[in-house]
Amino acid sequence: QVQLVESGGGLVQPGGSLRLSCAASGFALDYYTIGWFRQAPGKVREGVSLISSSAGITDYADSVKGRFTISGDNAKNTVYLQMNTLKPEDTAVYYCAAVSQNIKTMWWGDYAYWGQGTQVTVSS
């Protein structure tokens, strides 16, 4: 069955970096769009970035442009989110999600499959 497992979260100081991984199983990344989302306590879930490697599509939320980079390794069936220059407002649970089409959307309702999430805390 389709499964997504996130890893790489943790505690980091402002200005630091983390790399999140989303390991997929049960399907091939080539035919899916993978999105990264985050949800902070008391806030709605928001889209952070997406990649559709077969269509050559990537996208970023304005709040992370220039700081975050999404990439995929189809051989490892894994998507990465490199997060640099982290800010306290980046603190949230980060989720990866998948949808079985090439689609440029960061609305969480368009994604059918979800991982369990990984906590990212940016604090001094």
Side-chain angles (χ1 to χ4, degrees), residues 27-85:
F27 68 98
L29 286 180
D30 309 55
Y31 307 107
Y32 281 68
T33 297
I34 304 297
W36 281 99
F37 296 80
R38 66 187 182 186
Q39 189 164 19
K43 295 190 176 181
V44 299
R45 187 168 297 188
E46 64 170 339
V48 174
S49 184
L50 66 89
I51 184 168
S52 179
S53 57
S54 61
I57 296 172
T58 60
D59 200 12
Y60 299 90
D62 288 343
S63 58
V64 307
K65 279 181 182 175
R67 300 189 298 123
F68 290 11
T69 303
I70 193 168
S71 62
D73 185 336
N74 287 350
K76 295 183 178 180
N77 229 32
T78 299
V79 170
Y80 304 98
L81 184 68
Q82 178 66 44
M83 306 187 296
N84 298 329
T85 319

